[in-house]
Amino acid sequence: MSQKPKPKPSHGLAACPGCAEPLDSGDRFCGACGYDLSAVPAAETEPDRPTVAIVTPVVWPAAPPREAGSLSTATQHPGDLPGTDSGGRDLPTMAVRTDGPVPAPPGTDTPPSGTPASGGDFELAAPDPRTAVQVDPPGSPQPTPPAQPAPPAHPPQPAQPPAAAPDAAALCVACRAGRVDTDGYCENCGHAQPRERDHMEQELGSVAAVSDRGLRHHRNEDAFAVSATTLPDGSPAALAIVCDGVSSATRPDEASAAAAQAAGASLLAALPRGIHPQQAMHEAIVAAAEAVNSLAEDPGPDGAEHDPHRNSPACTIVGSVVADGLLVVGWVGDSRVYWVPDDRTTPAARLTEDDSWAAQMVAAGLMNEAEAYADERAHAITGWLGADAYELDPHTAAFKPDRSGVVVVCTDGLWNYAEGAEDMARAVPPDAAGRPLGAAQVLVGHALDGGGHDNITVALLPFTVTPPGAGSA
């Protein structure tokens, strides 16, 4: 085991090299900053250096000129820059060749060992591998390994053995010191590390989406897919799929991801073939349901699930396609689509009906909407994608708005804070059609400011009307 060097009885310094605090001759550590004075060379052997303030600009030497066809001269190496080590000594410099490898003496296969590099304190047994790359022709004899370089004459002595630096990729984002364990928590401070899905953003052409974990959930169980394509006649088409994992089910994050990916891929395959967008949306929801069903565990020998107390992976789905003057929506569950016209003097509209207990109570005339959504059973869904779902019944609808606007596709993590169509219209920025990604970020921020009790996902698709008077949404 390495040991710390013994401290000298007197450092001979009047002030701390680290913070300029006055020192006594017998001090071993600085009382202000804790600087280890045993690592500082004696004053009589160390020349005095002026103190450079942090705010003083440093004039770095210019990089060597780059020669035509050369890559090595474009690099500036650490040895080219002046500096000091942790003990205050000048760093040894090393000459760097930029004209290729050092030629070996005649009759030898390896460079001479122990040849000092010009202008430096290190002895190099081979050309600097950073700048000299030599490839032997096929069949040539392999050279013997070169001798190890000799150590510097006066290597700096640290006060204590330096700890191995953690891998930067595995450092904790909170304490910046501990390693992140395989469970996603810091071994030093215990802080949970952000996952890749905690916050996602994507913009593709005129469609954009943002998804956020929110402030209360430990993971993001939402997923989305946005894309753009063309119809057979060359006209553009944009699509957005948003899925919300059912938290009471097994692996809801996997279910939402599988459904969004399958539905998006199905639409991208169907629309360019000329399939009607509404039919393509129906097929996309069926494909998403099959993808989620495939995640269910195989039944055991007795025909039952491995764990009867755990539901199969499940999620809701909602999507929209804007193509050829049509606004098509499709859904299963309680995620929604809103229509917000650019002209805010005209009314906004909700284009989907929830598959939920509250919606069923309202549809049956047993409660009004305010009473139903105030009930604790309001958000219990009656339709979802999953192996244990009831008979799949995808809902689709097509609209032809007579004016330009923006389509809002979202999970209940957003519409819980802007439930009515007019509430959503007030939350959507006026320039949402021109900058959908920025508007989606604003909407996610609106939900976070409201409490962020659930995962939040929203996708925006601008809808532009070219011919006037095409009907009403």
Side-chain angles (χ1 to χ4, degrees):
M1 183 177 68
S2 303
Q3 296 180 354
K4 296 181 181 179
K6 295 181 180 180
K8 299 178 182 179
S10 177
H11 46 70
L13 296 176
C16 172
C19 66
E21 179 75 10
L23 301 173
D24 294 332
S25 59
D27 288 343
R28 295 171 54 187
F29 297 90
C30 174
C33 68
Y35 193 100
D36 187 357
L37 302 177
S38 63
V40 181
E44 61 271 17
T45 61
E46 183 68 17
D48 191 19
R49 289 187 175 86
T51 301
V52 180
I54 294 177
V55 296
T56 303
V58 178
V59 180
W60 296 102
R66 179 175 179 177
E67 300 175 359
S70 172
L71 295 178
S72 61
T73 54
T75 303
Q76 194 168 46
H77 302 286
D80 300 334
L81 304 178
T84 59
D85 61 21
S86 60
R89 302 178 180 84
D90 286 325
L91 290 174
T93 58
M94 180 185 302
V96 178
R97 297 184 61 91
T98 59
D99 55 353
V102 179
T108 61
D109 293 333
T110 58
S113 175
T115 303
S118 59
D121 298 331
F122 284 94
E123 293 181 352
L124 298 183
D128 189 350
R130 299 171 299 180
T131 56
V133 179
Q134 188 172 9
V135 180
D136 295 329
S140 61
Q142 297 296 321
T144 59
Q148 295 296 324
H154 302 286
Q157 297 294 328
Q160 60 185 17
D167 184 4
L171 281 180
C172 172
V173 300
C175 67
R176 302 301 301 168
R179 291 181 178 273
V180 178
D181 203 351
T182 54
D183 60 357
Y185 290 84
C186 175
E187 296 176 343
N188 180 48
C189 67
H191 189 88
Q193 304 302 296
R195 300 175 178 87
E196 181 182 1
R197 289 179 61 176
D198 281 357
H199 186 88
M200 301 177 291
E201 297 184 359
Q202 186 177 2
E203 184 176 33
L204 188 60
S206 62
V207 58
V210 177
S211 182
D212 192 271
R213 184 185 66 181
L215 304 178
R216 302 295 182 90
H217 282 236
H218 71 286
R219 64 181 175 185
N220 190 359
E221 297 171 356
D222 289 355
F224 66 80
V226 294
S227 191
T229 185
T230 56
L231 302 181
D233 61 359
S235 59
L239 60 97
I241 297 292
V242 169
C243 297
D244 185 355
V246 178
S247 297
S248 60
T250 306
R251 310 195 313 275
D253 52 333
E254 296 181 26
S256 62
Q261 182 179 5
S266 177
L267 286 171
L268 284 178
L271 293 174
R273 298 203 312 265
I275 297 178
H276 191 279
Q278 190 169 356
Q279 176 64 27
M281 178 62 72
H282 184 279
E283 295 176 359
I285 295 177
V286 172
E290 294 174 352
V292 178
N293 291 348
S294 66
L295 299 177
E297 295 179 349
D298 295 330
D302 56 354
E305 289 282 335
H306 294 299
D307 187 350
H309 302 290
R310 302 180 68 188
N311 297 326
S312 298
C315 68
T316 68
I317 186 171
V318 66
S320 180
V321 173
V322 173
D324 195 24
L326 283 177
L327 168 51
V328 174
V329 298
W331 73 98
V332 173
D334 62 347
S335 295
R336 294 180 175 180
V337 177
Y338 290 84
W339 161 253
V340 178
D342 291 343
D343 181 5
R344 300 303 169 84
T345 62
T346 57
R350 174 156 62 96
L351 306 182
T352 58
E353 293 292 339
D354 299 342
D355 288 325
S356 67
W357 180 90
Q360 282 192 344
M361 294 298 103
V362 174
L366 301 177
M367 291 182 178
N368 60 39
E369 191 166 350
E371 294 172 341
Y373 281 99
D375 193 282
E376 61 181 6
R377 298 165 290 180
H379 289 277
I381 58 175
T382 58
W384 62 88
L385 306 183
D388 57 355
Y390 303 121
E391 182 179 357
L392 179 64
D393 183 21
H395 312 292
T396 62
F399 305 89
K400 295 195 72 174
D402 61 354
R403 64 204 67 197
S404 297
V406 64
V407 184
V408 181
V409 186
C410 64
T411 61
D412 58 346
L414 172 60
W415 66 252
N416 276 332
Y417 302 99
E419 186 170 345
E422 295 304 321
D423 298 329
M424 184 64 71
R426 283 191 293 269
V428 174
D431 59 348
R435 55 179 200 97
L437 179 58
Q441 293 168 340
V442 169
L443 290 173
V444 170
H446 175 78
L448 292 173
D449 292 342
H453 286 70
D454 200 354
N455 304 145
I456 311 154
T457 303
V458 57
L460 295 182
L461 299 92
F463 183 95
T464 303
V465 172
T466 302
S472 175

